[in-house]
């Protein structure tokens, strides 16, 4: 197939892109596909023009944001829907659901799946709480990913520290703050792929044994992105 890998560029004139685009391209080529890469920062016209020029049968969508908008993925998927080109990954609605951690919890609740009790502190609205919270709490941005706004101080043991953290998230991340019960224990990831018949991959366990004793065993922003730290 003729496939275009769509990837986010850090800046409008960036010369390089995230290494994952080459990994995907290589994997697809090994399977005999004709693959091109289209890097876009935040210009919708450029996105559309590049796709029109390459005329892919499928877009391999790696755009998790658009321009500087960390929540731009749903808009990109919506645009691809309008252009009527099939693409990998989820559609605009699914992006919207998965980026809001509380909306996700509410859906899980309907299916009787357990989740940590929580409270949401919006920047401009009243408090929304899901139950009687017990300390310690884990305070994080409501809609971010990649552990943005998550570090050693995310775990709080009293209301004063919780409110300090809430204000920090409002001011630095410009997102609502979610305080949820801290779940101690092992950490597992389960990937799911597919549409009508979703298929779960085997669970992967995060191994925290290399983290020095002391700080909470969490996968914070440093652990995910900063290669120069112990985390
Ligand atoms: N309630 C909690 N109890 C214990 N640890 C938590 C809790 N919430 C988050 N963590 C820790 O913080 C990490 C990041 O949290 P979370 O996955 O919610 O953030 P994210 O930004 O959505 O990350 P991703 O991009 O991987 O989805 C988790 O992997 C876990 O180590
Ligand atoms: Mg997440």
């Amino acid at each position: 197939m003729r496939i275009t890998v769509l990837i986010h560029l850090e800046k409008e004139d960036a010369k390089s892109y995230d290494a994952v685009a080459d990994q995907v391209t290589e994997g697809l080529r090994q399977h005999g596909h004709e693959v091109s890469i289209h890097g876009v920062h935040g210009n919708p016209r450029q996105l559309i023009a590049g796709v029109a020029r390459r005329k892919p049968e499928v877009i391999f969508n790696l755009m998790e944001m658009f321009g500087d908008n960390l929540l731009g993925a749903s808009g990109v998927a919506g645009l691809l829907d309008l252009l009527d080109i099939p693409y990998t990954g989820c559609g605009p609605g699914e992006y919207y659901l998965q980026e809001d951690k509380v909306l996700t919890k509410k859906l899980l609740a309907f299916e009787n799946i357990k989740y940590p009790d929580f409270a949401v502190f919006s920047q401009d609205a009243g408090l929304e709480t899901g139950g009687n919270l017990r300390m310690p709490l884990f305070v994080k941005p409501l809609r971010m990913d990649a552990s943005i706004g998550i570090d050693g101080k995310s775990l709080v043991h009293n209301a004063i520290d919780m409110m300090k953290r809430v204000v920090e998230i409002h001011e630095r991340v410009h997102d609502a703050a979610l305080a949820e019960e801290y779940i101690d224990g092992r950490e597992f990831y389960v990937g799911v792929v597919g549409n009508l018949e979703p298929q779960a991959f085997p669970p992967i366990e995060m191994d925290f044994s290399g983290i020095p004793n002391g700080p909470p065993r969490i996968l914070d922003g440093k652990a995910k992105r900063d290669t120069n730290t112990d985390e």
Side-chain angles (χ1 to χ4, degrees), residues 113 159 161 182 214:
I113 295 172
D161 286 346
Y182 177 68

Side-chain angles (χ1 to χ4, degrees), residues 140-217:
K140 56 189 178 180
L142 179 67
R143 292 188 195 81
M144 296 293 130
D145 70 340
S147 293
I148 290 168
I150 295 178
D151 60 30
K153 287 198 194 141
S154 302
L155 181 61
V156 299
H157 292 87
N158 58 62
I160 292 176
D161 286 346
M162 178 188 76
M163 285 317 297
K164 277 191 197 155
R165 194 66 195 182
V166 164
V167 171
E168 264 175 35
I169 289 173
H170 287 174
E171 288 177 352
R172 290 202 200 142
V173 189
H174 306 293
D175 192 8
L178 165 64
E180 64 182 25
E181 290 181 350
Y182 177 68
I183 309 291
D184 201 6
R186 293 162 70 187
E187 180 163 329
F188 294 91
Y189 292 72
V190 182
V192 179
V193 69
N195 295 319
L196 294 177
E197 287 184 51
Q199 188 193 340
F201 289 113
I204 295 173
E205 179 166 12
M206 186 55 59
D207 177 3
F208 288 99
S209 58
I211 290 202
N213 276 334
R217 302 194 151 205

Side-chain angles (χ1 to χ4, degrees), residues 5-209:
V5 178
L6 188 60
I7 183 111
H8 178 257
L9 299 181
E10 289 292 330
K11 289 189 240 128
E12 214 64 73
D13 54 356
K15 296 277 174 291
S16 59
Y17 41 77
D18 194 293
V20 74
D22 287 330
Q23 294 161 3
V24 167
T25 304
E26 187 52 34
L28 292 171
R29 281 192 184 135
Q30 277 173 12
H31 284 81
H33 298 291
E34 188 191 315
V35 191
S36 59
I37 296 179
H38 184 27
V40 178
H41 176 66
N43 183 342
R45 282 186 198 88
Q46 193 201 344
L47 195 165
I48 296 169
V51 167
R53 204 162 53 240
R54 292 172 175 86
K55 296 191 178 44
E57 291 162 274
V58 173
I59 289 183
F60 201 107
N61 186 16
L62 295 176
M63 275 205 115
E64 294 180 10
M65 57 187 286
F66 194 68
D68 297 324
N69 181 2
L70 295 171
L71 303 176
S74 58
V76 172
L79 182 61
L80 298 179
D81 270 348
L82 295 180
L83 296 174
D84 203 20
I85 304 169
Y87 56 91
T88 61
C90 51
E94 289 79 16
Y95 269 118
Y96 182 79
L97 292 179
Q98 64 89 33
E99 80 194 8
D100 185 324
K101 289 178 163 65
V102 165
L103 210 46
T104 306
K105 282 188 218 302
K106 289 176 180 171
L107 289 173
L108 296 178
F110 184 79
E111 306 292 346
N112 291 321
I113 295 172
K114 286 185 179 170
Y115 57 87
D117 271 333
F118 65 92
V120 181
F121 300 84
S122 301
Q123 287 165 278
D124 50 7
L127 169 71
E128 181 184 356
T129 172
N132 292 320
L133 300 183
R134 58 155 174 75
M135 294 284 167
L137 297 173
F138 201 86
V139 189
K140 56 189 178 180
L142 179 67
R143 292 188 195 81
M144 296 293 130
D145 70 340
S147 293
I148 290 168
I150 295 178
D151 60 30
K153 287 198 194 141
S154 302
L155 181 61
V156 299
H157 292 87
N158 58 62
I160 292 176
D161 286 346
M162 178 188 76
M163 285 317 297
K164 277 191 197 155
R165 194 66 195 182
V166 164
V167 171
E168 264 175 35
I169 289 173
H170 287 174
E171 288 177 352
R172 290 202 200 142
V173 189
H174 306 293
D175 192 8
L178 165 64
E180 64 182 25
E181 290 181 350
Y182 177 68
I183 309 291
D184 201 6
R186 293 162 70 187
E187 180 163 329
F188 294 91
Y189 292 72
V190 182
V192 179
V193 69
N195 295 319
L196 294 177
E197 287 184 51
Q199 188 193 340
F201 289 113
I204 295 173
E205 179 166 12
M206 186 55 59
D207 177 3
F208 288 99
S209 58

